[in-house]
């Protein structure tokens, strides 16, 4: 009986051999009854299958049957025990019925197993799960009964299926291999019969041999961590090893048979294939290379030649693949061939290698020439495009908006020229490489007279292209020199215009600083004199800026005449420069006059305040100059265009006027002192001024 015939029943685990043993070394058969109704037919089939597994020697030691009735009815347990009498009465030594905690007390009185021992043929005991160890060691019980024996029913069943499949296939394979090996003796004189004709077994021997040594077959089919197989309980492992030994022996004979048959046919096949390869390479293959020696006159033509060469290589690759395969076959036969076979094989191998290597060298040489030609034509095309771009830039009018654009265009022009020079150098290198590849291309002795005509045309073509590129580059260099000079003059022109505008801005900034910050007149004559000196230097800086702007504008006129163009700022910048300078001149003149008035006022005031004797006329002069200065501070500046402007803010003007008023108050005090003194003379003593001065 095979497991596949009752596989659905075996999956239900109605009974199993866990691998455990009783104290008499008999196997333990476990029947776990469930709360559901158990089919006696399925249980009987399961028992029949399980009892077919152990050897007769193992069966002779008897079985201990554990009937787990903890989840079942008493009637089911009784039926199972009675069924054992019909199924395996002689093999059963002891039946342990595991009772539930609440036993069938009343029902047991109607049927006592111990009284039926003689009729049943084996002893039946009722025992609770925790007392089962009185009869069986805990290490031989599964965890369902408090034991430590590991058992996986699914794993056991899968291994049984593998074992039975292997046994079936290996037995059939052994029979087939025996027939094939024995039948070859009668056909040993038939040299033409192939090993592939009628000598293929129905199963792959390699697959069957790989299945045999797997742990699923060479390890026990029922095992636990504390259990070791004794003698040949289940016969699985020794049976597998025996089958494997027989298979290896027959398969070795089968392989030797196939090897001999293959060897008889390989020699003729190799000779035929070698001659086919040599004939094609020396004939059509060589002719293809002879008729394709051009390098093309453009990148597109070179690419087309490359594509054609790849087609030729593809045709050769098919024959080279045959060469590689033949070489491997010859090497394999040389290692195990007879002496006369070795001599013939070596001659074929040498002839084949010489032809193939010579043809491969010619293909590689042609490929190198085409790659060099593509590089040469690609560089020629790039250089031609660079020269066209440079020429187009030189022929275009130069009308940039500012000096930065001119600088950028000049830089771009120089970069293009450098790129052309680098491209021409690269073209020379690529041309030299192409000529070298063409001259070093390998040829056979009988082919040496065929290439010279086309080869010479290729050399002249390469030299002609390089000379043409050199002439075009020289013409562009001459035009670049002229354009460079013109662009440098334009750069200088724009620089002069920009600097002139900058001079206008600087002069405007000086004017703005003069009007907004040059307001103070000094608190005494010394400070006023210092401010007057600084003002003159300030005016000198403005004068230099104005003169610098005028010179720049004169230079732009000269450059425009040289370039035959009109500057956009010649009619605008000069009037702006003159207008700002006139405004500055008026403002500077007004500032200088105010400082001079302030110096005169402070000098007179200091004299009348410091002298011991003061004349009334001197006081009147100081008072008059102070008032004139105050009036001048409130007077705006009138520019040539009629616009008005004040120095500083009203607060700045008020602060400057306040210093003048304080001096006038001191002078007035001297006057009052003079009028209030008893001596009506024209002099006032300095000592009285010092005592009354605030």
């Amino acid at each position: 009986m095979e497991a596949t015939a009752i596989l659905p029943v075996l999956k239900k685990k109605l009974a199993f051999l866990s691998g455990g043993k009783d104290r008499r070394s008999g196997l333990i058969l476990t029947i776990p009854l469930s709360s559901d109704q158990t089919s006696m037919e399925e249980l009987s089939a399961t028992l029949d299958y399980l009892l077919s597994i152990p050897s007769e020697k193992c069966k002779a030691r008897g079985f201990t049957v554990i009937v787990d009735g903890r989840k079942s009815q008493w009637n089911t347990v009784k039926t199972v025990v009675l069924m054992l009498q019909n199924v395996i009465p002689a093999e059963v030594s002891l039946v342990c019925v595991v009772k539930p905690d609440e036993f069938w007390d009343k029902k047991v009185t109607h049927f006592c197993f111990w009284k039926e021992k003689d009729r049943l043929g084996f002893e039946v005991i009722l025992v609770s799960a925790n007392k089962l160890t009185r009869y069986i060691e805990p290490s031989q019980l599964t965890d369902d009964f408090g034991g430590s024996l590991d058992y996986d029913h699914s794993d056991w069943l899968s291994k049984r299926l593998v074992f039975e499949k292997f046994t079936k296939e290996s037995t059939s394979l052994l029979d087939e291999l025996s027939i094939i090996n024995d039948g070859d003796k009668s056909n040993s004189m038939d040299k033409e019969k192939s090993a592939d004709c009628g000598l293929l077994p129905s199963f792959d021997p390699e697959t069957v041999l790989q299945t045999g040594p797997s742990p699923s077959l060479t390890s026990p089919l029922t095992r636990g961590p504390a259990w070791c197989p004794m003698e040949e309980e289940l016969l699985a492992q020794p049976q597998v090893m025996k089958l494997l030994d027989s298979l290896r022996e027959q398969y070795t004979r089968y392989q030797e048979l196939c090897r001999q048959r293959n060897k008889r046919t390989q020699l003729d096949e190799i000779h035929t294939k070698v001659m086919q390869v040599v004939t094609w390479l020396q004939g059509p293959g060589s002719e293809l290379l002879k008729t394709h020696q051009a390098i093309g006159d453009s990148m597109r033509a070179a690419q087309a030649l490359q594509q054609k060469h790849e087609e030729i290589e593809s045709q050769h690759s098919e024959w080279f693949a045959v060469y590689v395969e033949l070489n491997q076959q010859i090497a394999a036969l040389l290692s195990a061939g007879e002496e006369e076979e070795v001599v013939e094989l070596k001659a074929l191998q040498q002839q084949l290698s010489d032809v193939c290597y010579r043809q491969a060298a010619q293909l590689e040489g042609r490929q190198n020439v085409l790659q060099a030609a593509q590089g040469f034509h690609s560089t020629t095309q790039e250089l031609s495009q660079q020269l066209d771009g440079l020429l187009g830039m030189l022929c275009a009018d130069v009308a940039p908006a500012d000096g930065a654009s001119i600088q950028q265009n000049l830089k771009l022009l120089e970069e293009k020229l450098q790129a052309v020079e680098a491209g021409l150098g690269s073209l020379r290198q690529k041309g030299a490489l192409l000529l070298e590849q063409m001259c070093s291309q390998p040829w056979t002795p009988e082919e040496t007279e065929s290439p010279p005509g086309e080869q010479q045309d290729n050399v002249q073509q390469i030299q002609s292209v390089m000379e043409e590129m050199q002439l075009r580059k020289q013409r562009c260099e001459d035009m670049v020199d002229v354009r460079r000079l013109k662009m440098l003059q334009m750069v200088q022109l724009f620089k002069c215009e920009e600097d002139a505008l900058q001079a206008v801005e600087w002069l405007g900034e000086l004017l703005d600083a003069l009007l907004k910050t040059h307001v103070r007149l000094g608190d005494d004559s010394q400070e006023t004199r210092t401010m007057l000196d600084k003002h003159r230097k300030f005016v000198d800086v403005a004068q230099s800026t104005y003169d610098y702007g005028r010179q720049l504008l004169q230079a732009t006129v000269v450059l425009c005449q040289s370039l035959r163009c009109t500057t956009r700022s010649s009619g605008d910048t000069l009037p702006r420069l003159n207008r700002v300078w006139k405004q500055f001149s008026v403002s500077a003149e007004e500032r200088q006059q105010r400082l001079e008035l302030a110096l005169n006022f402070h000098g007179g005031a200091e004299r009348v305040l410091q002298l011991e004797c003061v004349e009334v006329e001197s006081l009147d002069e100081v008072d008059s100059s102070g008032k004139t200065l105050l009036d001048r501070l409130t007077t705006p500046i009138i520019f040539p265009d009629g616009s008005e402007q004040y120095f500083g803010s009203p607060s700045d003007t008020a602060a400057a006027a306040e210093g003048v008023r304080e001096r006038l108050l001191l002078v007035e005090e001297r006057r009052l002192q003079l009028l209030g003194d008893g001596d009506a003379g024209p002099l006032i003593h300095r000592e009285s001024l010092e005592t009354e001065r605030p």
Side-chain angles (χ1 to χ4, degrees):
M1 181 185 295
E2 294 183 358
T4 53
I6 57 169
L7 184 58
V9 177
L10 291 176
K11 288 183 178 180
K12 294 181 179 181
K13 197 181 177 183
L14 300 178
F16 61 89
L17 289 170
S18 64
K21 297 181 180 180
D22 57 20
R23 291 187 174 91
R24 295 169 300 191
S25 297
L27 293 177
I28 297 175
L29 175 64
T30 305
I31 303 176
L33 299 177
S34 61
S35 58
D36 299 334
Q37 185 66 28
T38 302
S39 172
M40 292 300 118
E41 294 180 0
E42 293 180 350
L43 178 59
S44 177
T46 302
L47 293 175
D48 290 340
Y49 176 76
L50 293 177
L51 293 175
S52 66
I53 296 175
S55 64
E56 294 299 327
K57 186 178 179 180
C58 181
K59 293 179 182 179
R61 288 194 292 267
F63 291 87
T64 293
V65 182
I66 300 177
V67 181
D68 188 1
R70 289 176 292 180
K71 299 180 181 179
S72 182
Q73 301 295 326
W74 165 250
N75 292 334
T76 304
V77 174
K78 182 174 64 175
T79 303
V80 170
V81 173
L82 293 175
M83 185 185 68
L84 293 175
Q85 179 188 14
N86 299 325
V87 179
I88 49 173
E91 288 84 356
V92 176
S93 299
L94 175 64
V95 176
C96 296
V97 179
V98 182
K99 62 182 180 178
D101 294 336
E102 296 180 359
F103 194 52
W104 319 280
D105 295 330
K106 295 180 180 180
K107 297 178 181 179
V108 140
T109 59
H110 298 290
F111 186 84
C112 295
F113 288 119
W114 64 274
K115 294 179 181 180
E116 302 293 334
K117 178 178 180 181
D118 295 336
R119 184 171 66 86
L120 293 174
F122 48 80
E123 182 182 358
V124 180
I125 60 173
L126 299 176
V127 64
S128 58
N130 56 0
K131 294 181 180 180
L132 193 58
T133 55
R134 294 179 181 179
Y135 307 95
I136 303 172
E137 294 295 333
S139 62
Q140 304 301 319
L141 292 173
T142 60
D143 57 356
D144 295 335
F145 306 108
S148 59
L149 182 63
D150 184 20
Y151 174 75
D152 187 343
H153 187 71
S154 299
D155 181 61
W156 174 86
L157 183 57
S158 63
K159 290 178 180 178
R160 285 300 304 178
L161 293 172
V162 173
F163 167 71
E164 292 180 357
K165 180 177 180 294
F166 169 75
T167 303
K168 181 179 179 180
E169 292 180 354
S170 59
T171 303
S172 175
L173 182 59
L174 273 174
D175 296 339
E176 293 178 3
L177 290 178
S178 298
I179 294 173
I180 293 173
N181 293 332
D182 295 339
D184 181 65
K185 296 179 181 179
S186 60
N187 299 325
S188 58
M189 299 302 294
D190 187 2
K191 302 295 184 179
E192 302 299 325
K193 187 168 182 179
S194 173
D196 294 334
C197 299
L199 296 179
L200 292 177
S202 57
F203 296 102
D204 182 17
E206 292 289 346
T207 304
V208 176
L209 287 173
Q210 290 175 3
T211 305
S214 65
S216 300
L217 296 179
T218 57
S219 61
L221 297 181
T222 56
R223 55 188 175 87
W227 179 81
C228 296
M230 297 177 62
E231 300 176 2
E232 299 177 356
E233 285 88 351
L234 303 182
L235 286 178
Q237 187 173 0
Q239 187 176 352
V240 169
M241 300 309 295
K242 183 178 180 180
L243 285 171
L244 285 175
D245 293 339
S246 300
L247 275 175
R248 291 191 183 99
E249 180 182 356
Q250 291 293 335
Y251 184 50
T252 302
R253 291 179 58 193
Y254 174 75
Q255 286 179 317
E256 179 64 19
L257 170 64
C258 294
R259 190 184 69 81
Q260 292 295 336
R261 287 179 175 271
N262 287 333
K263 185 177 179 182
R264 284 194 294 268
T265 57
Q266 277 183 334
L267 290 176
D268 294 337
E269 292 178 357
I270 287 175
H271 185 275
T272 302
K273 290 182 179 178
V274 167
M275 297 313 298
Q276 289 176 350
V277 173
V278 171
T279 302
W280 190 90
L281 291 179
Q282 291 181 342
S286 297
E287 195 64 29
L288 283 173
L289 289 176
K290 287 180 183 179
T291 56
H292 292 85
Q293 296 300 320
I295 61 172
D297 56 358
S298 64
M299 185 62 184
R300 180 176 298 179
Q303 290 175 346
L305 290 172
Q306 175 65 34
Q307 184 176 0
K308 181 61 179 177
H309 180 72
E310 290 175 356
E311 294 175 359
I312 297 175
E313 281 186 333
S314 178
Q315 297 178 34
H316 280 76
S317 297
E318 297 176 0
W319 292 98
F320 287 154
V322 176
Y323 158 71
V324 173
E325 182 181 355
L326 287 174
N327 204 28
Q328 293 174 350
Q329 293 176 4
I330 293 174
L333 293 175
L334 284 173
S335 61
E338 301 296 335
E339 184 175 356
E340 61 276 7
E341 296 173 353
V342 169
V343 175
E344 180 183 359
L345 287 172
K346 284 187 175 180
L348 287 174
Q349 188 180 39
Q350 187 63 41
Q351 180 185 9
L352 182 63
S353 297
D354 292 343
V355 174
C356 288
Y357 278 113
R358 183 169 59 249
Q359 198 74 0
Q362 293 182 17
L363 282 171
E364 183 180 4
R366 175 60 178 167
Q367 176 65 31
N368 293 335
V369 169
L370 288 176
Q371 289 181 350
Q374 289 186 57
F376 177 78
H377 290 309
S378 175
T379 305
T380 302
Q381 182 177 340
E382 293 177 1
L383 179 59
S384 179
Q385 292 175 352
Q386 291 172 351
L387 288 169
D388 291 341
L390 180 59
L391 184 61
M393 185 175 180
L394 292 171
C395 294
D397 292 335
V398 181
D402 50 30
S405 299
I406 289 288
Q407 291 282 8
Q408 186 67 26
N409 290 338
L410 183 59
K411 181 181 178 182
L412 181 60
L413 186 65
E414 297 292 347
E415 290 176 352
K416 285 184 175 294
L417 183 59
Q418 292 176 2
V420 167
E421 293 176 352
L424 185 60
S426 177
L427 182 65
R428 293 193 184 100
Q429 294 178 357
K430 298 292 179 63
L433 177 62
L434 178 55
L435 291 173
E436 180 183 355
Q437 293 291 344
M438 291 169 58
C439 295
S440 62
Q441 191 171 2
W443 298 99
T444 59
E446 58 273 13
E447 295 169 339
T448 52
E449 65 273 5
S450 57
E454 194 166 5
Q455 192 95 326
Q456 187 64 30
D457 294 340
N458 293 336
V459 172
Q460 292 177 357
Q461 175 188 344
I462 295 170
Q463 294 175 348
S464 174
V465 170
M466 290 192 293
E467 291 174 359
E468 180 187 357
M469 292 296 111
Q470 177 63 37
L471 291 175
R472 290 181 61 186
K473 183 249 184 185
Q474 186 61 47
R475 289 195 295 268
C476 287
E477 279 185 341
D478 297 340
M479 296 178 67
V480 167
D481 292 338
V482 177
R483 176 56 62 89
R484 185 187 294 113
L485 178 60
K486 182 177 181 180
M487 295 180 75
L488 289 175
Q489 289 180 339
M490 294 186 70
V491 169
Q492 187 177 3
L493 171 62
F494 278 103
K495 181 63 177 174
C496 290
E497 291 179 348
E498 291 175 1
D499 291 347
L501 291 174
Q502 186 64 50
V504 174
E505 292 179 3
W506 287 344
L507 197 59
E509 292 174 358
L510 292 175
L511 174 61
D512 190 62
L514 176 63
L515 293 174
K516 291 183 179 180
T517 61
H518 294 204
V519 181
R520 293 186 66 253
L521 300 175
D523 296 332
D524 52 36
S525 61
Q526 183 63 33
E527 184 179 4
T528 302
R529 186 174 291 104
T530 300
M531 295 178 69
L532 186 59
D533 292 340
K534 289 182 178 181
H535 175 71
R536 292 192 179 102
K537 294 178 180 179
F538 185 76
V539 173
D540 292 341
V541 171
Q543 181 68 49
S544 300
T545 303
Y546 172 70
D547 295 340
Y548 176 64
R550 292 276 302 195
Q551 293 173 2
L552 290 173
L553 291 175
Q554 291 175 359
T556 59
V557 174
V558 176
L559 289 172
C560 286
Q561 292 175 353
S562 175
L563 294 172
R564 298 179 181 179
C565 65
T566 57
T567 174
R568 55 182 175 81
S569 59
S570 59
D572 180 34
T573 307
L574 183 60
R576 288 178 57 194
L577 179 66
N578 291 332
R579 181 172 62 255
V580 175
W581 173 245
K582 289 179 181 179
Q583 291 177 352
F584 182 87
S585 299
V586 172
S587 302
E589 180 65 25
E590 177 63 23
R591 172 64 177 169
Q592 182 170 351
Q593 291 179 4
R594 292 186 182 186
L595 287 173
E596 290 174 351
L597 285 174
L599 180 61
N600 185 35
F601 167 71
H602 286 303
E606 289 171 359
R607 284 194 299 272
V608 298
L609 293 176
Q610 291 175 359
L611 294 177
E612 296 180 356
C613 298
V614 180
E615 297 179 356
V616 176
E617 290 79 2
S618 298
L619 292 173
D620 293 339
E621 290 178 1
V622 171
D623 185 65
S624 175
S625 63
K627 291 179 180 180
T628 302
L629 181 58
L630 289 175
D631 292 338
R632 197 65 174 263
L633 288 175
T634 59
T635 302
I637 304 171
I638 300 175
F639 293 135
D641 59 358
S643 59
E644 297 180 353
Q645 182 69 41
Y646 289 91
F647 279 99
S649 62
S651 60
D652 295 335
T653 304
E658 185 63 26
V660 176
R661 291 191 182 94
E662 289 179 357
R663 278 297 177 95
L664 287 175
L665 288 176
L666 293 176
V667 173
E668 187 63 25
E669 288 178 0
R670 293 299 302 273
R671 184 188 299 277
L672 293 176
Q673 184 180 14
L674 176 62
L675 295 176
D677 195 350
D679 186 2
L683 300 177
I684 300 177
H685 292 287
R686 177 66 180 171
E687 293 79 3
S688 63
L689 179 62
E690 292 294 335
T691 57
E692 295 179 3
R693 186 175 182 180

